[in-house]
Amino acid sequence: MSLLPEEVVPALHACDVGFVLREDNWTNRVAFPNKFAEYCAAGLLIVTSPGLRAAADVVVTKGIGVLVDPREIEPAALSQYPELREKISTRASNWSGYYDACRSLVNERYSMEKALRPVVDFFLDG
């Protein structure tokens, strides 16, 4: 589903919690995701990572959510979700393969060319 920018926050009002979990790396230490701001604007409880330092600081100082370090999520907590645990393990053991698969999917289905092809065909055939 795609929304216009002004439709995002009203749509988020239907949610209770916003998740912004990121790995602790240099990029994320200086990042402040737009999604975080949208969650704030919608008044959601925010679950974020300590590695996303600026967002984590806001969550703690303003009391608008909780910090969860993805590295500390107990494997036992995932035992109820074996498919999720398997996907996490696969992604962690083969980063390049995972991202190659994602890029391939985006190029195959979600590229601008693919999205516009039906419109172009409509006008060419019409």
Side-chain angles (χ1 to χ4, degrees):
M1 179 175 177
S2 180
L3 299 172
L4 296 171
E6 61 271 14
E7 296 174 325
V8 172
V9 171
L12 288 174
H13 285 290
C15 302
D16 297 313
V17 178
F19 290 88
V20 187
L21 298 174
R22 300 279 180 92
E23 296 169 348
D24 189 4
N25 60 38
W26 285 106
T27 301
N28 290 331
R29 289 180 199 144
V30 297
F32 199 93
N34 289 340
K35 193 55 60 191
F36 184 90
E38 292 170 347
Y39 290 167
C40 287
L44 300 182
L45 173 68
I46 300 172
V47 178
T48 193
S49 311
L52 197 55
R53 292 182 182 171
D57 182 56
V58 172
V59 164
V60 171
T61 59
K62 300 297 183 184
I64 60 170
V66 296
L67 300 183
V68 174
D69 190 333
R71 297 171 299 177
E72 295 178 6
I73 295 173
E74 291 291 327
L78 297 175
S79 65
Q80 298 176 40
Y81 309 97
E83 290 179 50
L84 177 59
R85 189 171 59 192
E86 178 186 334
K87 298 291 182 196
I88 291 169
S89 176
T90 299
R91 180 177 182 250
S93 65
N94 184 7
W95 285 99
S96 63
Y98 179 84
Y99 286 115
D100 286 346
C102 289
R103 275 191 299 274
S104 175
L105 174 63
V106 168
N107 290 334
E108 175 186 317
R109 291 188 174 187
Y110 305 114
S111 69
M112 184 63 79
E113 180 184 349
K114 297 283 184 186
L116 291 178
R117 177 52 43 200
V119 175
V120 171
D121 289 345
F122 172 80
F123 284 112
L124 292 175
D125 294 340

